[in-house]
Amino acid sequence: MQIKQFEAKDMTEGLRMVKKEFGNDAVILSAKTLQKTGRFLGTVKQAGVIITAATDPIQTGLNKKLKSYANTGHVTSALSDKTDAQGLSSKTDAFLDALGSDRHQEPCRPPHSSGVHAIPGVEIRKTLNLIKGRLLSQGVENPIAKEVIGEIEQRLPTAGSPSSLALKRTFSEFIRQRHLIADPIHRAGKTPLTIALVGPTGVGKTTTTVKLAVQYKLEMNYRVGIITLDHYRIAATAALMTYSNITDIPCEIVSNAGELRQALKSMKKMDLIMIDTPGVGLNDKPELNRVAGLLDKVSPDQVYLVLASMTKNADMLAYHHYFESTGFDRLIFSKLDETSVYGNIFNLLIKMNTPVAYLTGGQTIPENIRPVTIDTLLDLILPESVLVDNTVQGRVLSRTRHIKTPAEKTVPEYEFVANRNSDIFHHNECKSVSRIHRDNIIHFSNITEAMEQNFKPCRMCCMENIDPKLVMKPLKRAAQGRY
């Protein structure tokens, strides 16, 4: 595209100059009246016009060649001779040769088409950066967030802004291919399906056992029996027997392998047998070996590790490794009602590649348990309100302010923030934070995390909380030329 300004004394002369320079294919972009001033006291000396015009040299040359070739009559004769296929082919080749190299050039984009599509992938990267911020705010670890966003970016189209539907489909496909979700309990044969639940103390294994038993009895019309190995806690055993009497679900308490085999034999006509085990702490290896030994002797069909959803990332990994001797092959996350940050769940699923089958929270039986689907898992870390397609602005993230409930206010927030367009990080109560646009905010859980990403502390709010060693480390790297 060639653009040029033409100055003339009137519009007629200006248009004549444009036509002479650019030809009939010129496009007038603007025209304005001009008054020239004299050198003496700014007096008006002469009026005129300035015309801004443009032309596309490639398209102009192409049009000229088409016109000259059409005037020779070759195109008409070639098209009229329908029976001579070879002649038509040769004349078509001649026609294309006449166009020359211009036919291989991409036509220039019209002036009005400039915008987000001028640089392919910019809107996608902008969108994915915002989604990555949401993942980080939910507690998803930075390496995992990068891995997820990288895979999602490869699956999206390379230009334009993806719609909310396209984003959801892409994330869903990622979850499906990673096999992060286990099928719910289903009895396929005629023999009873035996399910065992293991996990740490206090995560709600007994309550979860009752929820599943009652749900399958009432909703699936299964014949269900419960066996508990937890004969230590009198209160838990009493509560289990109470539920058994109310729901008419048989329940037996056992303490060794012989009693466990006998209980299973007495329930051989059941469709589903739930085995509840005692909670085991990280330092109680003998009890873990006892539980694992009992389960090994009866070989349950499925073993679930139950973890509380507010458990820290490091503890979740520790429990996952600790209970491997029980042979668990799927997960249940409990107490979802006691937290609003679920990134630790996603971290564990990605790192260990063990699928999750159920989510549970609350004490209502059996309503407060549900099988996991792609939508429920996606909604934990990327709610539907986040994947909103704003067709006017081309944005796909909703950043509306969320008013916290009293329960949510008790959850600790990220303590430090930074502007992605700056190199300074602040405490979240610093007055400078209010001037950062919400789309540019980056969250850090601690000072070390911020400084490891080469952000510098705000002198107004952060310096008094910083270990001098953390400040010296980046200075040493800078002195060594590693920045």
Side-chain angles (χ1 to χ4, degrees):
M1 178 73 69
Q2 183 179 353
I3 302 176
K4 185 176 180 180
Q5 285 188 338
F6 298 87
E7 186 175 335
K9 65 179 181 180
D10 54 38
M11 184 63 70
T12 303
E13 183 179 346
L15 293 176
R16 188 180 300 114
M17 295 170 64
V18 171
K19 185 176 181 181
K20 182 179 180 181
E21 180 79 15
F22 286 164
N24 294 329
D25 294 325
V27 177
I28 304 299
L29 300 180
S30 67
K32 62 179 181 180
T33 303
L34 176 68
Q35 286 188 343
K36 290 186 177 180
T37 57
R39 295 182 180 179
F40 182 70
L41 299 179
T43 56
V44 177
K45 184 177 181 180
Q46 182 180 0
V49 295
I50 292 181
I51 300 175
T52 303
T55 186
D56 187 347
I58 296 175
Q59 189 65 38
T60 302
L62 183 62
N63 291 341
K64 287 180 179 180
K65 290 182 180 181
L66 285 172
K67 185 175 180 180
S68 62
Y69 193 79
N71 290 336
T72 62
H74 293 310
V75 175
T76 305
S77 62
L79 293 176
S80 61
D81 188 9
K82 298 181 181 179
T83 59
D84 189 1
Q86 185 176 359
L88 177 60
S89 176
S90 61
K91 292 176 181 180
T92 302
D93 293 338
F95 171 66
L96 295 177
D97 291 337
L99 297 183
S101 59
D102 290 338
R103 62 191 175 98
H104 299 292
Q105 301 291 332
E106 182 180 354
C108 289
R109 192 179 299 276
H112 65 271
S113 67
S114 60
V116 295
H117 297 293
I119 305 177
V122 169
E123 273 300 305
I124 292 178
R125 286 191 291 272
K126 190 174 183 180
T127 295
L128 294 179
N129 284 337
L130 295 176
I131 294 180
K132 181 184 175 183
R134 168 68 187 187
L135 293 175
L136 294 176
S137 70
Q138 273 289 310
V140 176
E141 295 179 354
N142 192 47
I144 293 179
K146 285 184 178 179
E147 178 186 353
V148 172
I149 293 301
E151 292 200 25
I152 296 303
E153 186 174 11
Q154 292 178 2
R155 302 168 192 263
L156 288 172
T158 57
S161 178
S163 66
S164 59
L165 181 59
L167 276 173
K168 189 170 184 179
R169 284 177 177 171
T170 306
F171 272 94
S172 299
E173 186 62 25
F174 170 81
I175 293 173
R176 187 180 296 109
Q177 291 188 357
R178 284 297 188 101
H179 304 289
L180 302 183
I181 299 174
D183 294 330
I185 296 171
H186 176 69
R187 177 176 178 250
K190 295 182 179 180
T191 58
L193 182 66
T194 307
I195 305 294
L197 272 61
V198 299
T201 304
V203 296
K205 290 186 304 301
T206 301
T207 304
T208 302
T209 299
V210 175
K211 287 177 182 177
L212 288 171
V214 175
Q215 185 180 81
Y216 273 81
K217 177 179 175 62
L218 298 181
E219 298 181 8
M220 305 294 291
N221 202 27
Y222 274 30
R223 294 168 295 177
V224 183
I226 298 176
I227 301 173
T228 178
L229 307 180
D230 189 2
H231 60 281
Y232 303 109
R233 297 185 304 154
I234 299 176
T237 304
L240 193 58
M241 297 306 295
T242 301
Y243 280 118
S244 173
N245 294 330
I246 294 173
T247 59
D248 196 27
I249 295 176
C251 179
E252 295 197 24
I253 303 172
V254 302
S255 59
N256 54 57
E259 292 177 357
L260 179 56
R261 290 195 192 94
Q262 185 61 36
L264 290 172
K265 186 176 180 180
S266 66
M267 295 183 181
K268 63 181 180 180
K269 293 185 179 180
M270 298 295 172
D271 299 315
L272 177 63
I273 301 174
M274 303 292 302
I275 301 178
D276 181 34
T277 64
V280 181
L282 283 173
N283 298 320
D284 196 355
K285 195 70 174 180
E287 180 63 15
L288 177 65
N289 293 335
R290 188 185 77 86
V291 172
L294 289 174
L295 295 180
D296 184 59
K297 286 180 170 57
V298 297
S299 300
D301 297 298
Q302 297 172 5
V303 180
Y304 291 78
L305 174 62
V306 183
L307 294 173
S309 57
M310 67 280 195
T311 307
K312 294 182 294 185
N313 285 312
D315 290 338
M316 277 195 175
L317 284 173
Y319 282 127
H320 192 284
H321 292 301
Y322 188 65
F323 281 93
E324 284 178 351
S325 60
T326 63
F328 73 88
D329 55 356
R330 52 200 74 196
L331 300 168
I332 295 176
F333 290 102
S334 63
K335 303 191 176 184
L336 261 72
D337 56 324
E338 298 184 18
T339 182
S340 61
V341 178
Y342 307 105
N344 52 346
I345 294 176
F346 197 70
N347 293 335
L348 185 67
L349 295 178
I350 295 295
K351 286 181 178 180
M352 306 311 299
N353 203 30
T354 303
V356 56
Y358 290 93
L359 300 174
T360 176
Q363 298 296 319
T364 306
I365 297 175
E367 289 83 1
N368 287 347
I369 189 168
R370 54 178 175 170
V372 177
T373 64
I374 289 179
D375 287 340
T376 56
L377 183 58
L378 189 59
D379 197 51
L380 285 181
I381 54 173
L382 289 174
E384 188 68 28
S385 59
V386 175
L387 301 175
V388 176
D389 185 15
N390 189 331
T391 56
V392 176
Q393 298 295 333
R395 297 285 181 87
V396 293
L397 281 184
S398 172
R399 289 283 180 169
T400 55
R401 184 178 298 275
H402 173 60
I403 301 176
K404 295 185 178 180
T405 64
E408 290 176 325
K409 289 181 180 180
T410 63
V411 180
E413 296 182 345
Y414 285 92
E415 194 172 0
F416 299 95
V417 299
N419 186 337
R420 67 177 71 252
N421 299 320
S422 171
D423 60 349
I424 306 296
F425 71 91
H426 312 266
H427 191 274
N428 58 12
E429 295 181 356
C430 179
K431 62 181 181 181
S432 300
V433 175
S434 61
R435 297 195 291 267
I436 304 176
H437 193 279
R438 57 179 177 265
D439 290 344
N440 295 328
I441 289 181
I442 305 174
H443 299 274
F444 307 105
S445 57
N446 53 57
I447 290 175
T448 304
E449 181 182 354
M451 297 193 71
E452 285 179 349
Q453 297 187 35
N454 298 333
F455 284 88
K456 303 173 185 176
C458 172
R459 290 182 293 178
M460 301 295 294
C461 65
C462 294
M463 292 303 294
E464 63 182 17
N465 298 320
I466 292 184
D467 184 345
K469 295 180 181 179
L470 293 176
V471 179
M472 292 303 299
K473 189 181 295 184
L475 291 177
K476 289 179 180 179
R477 286 203 299 263
Q480 296 170 0
R482 292 166 59 186
Y483 271 115

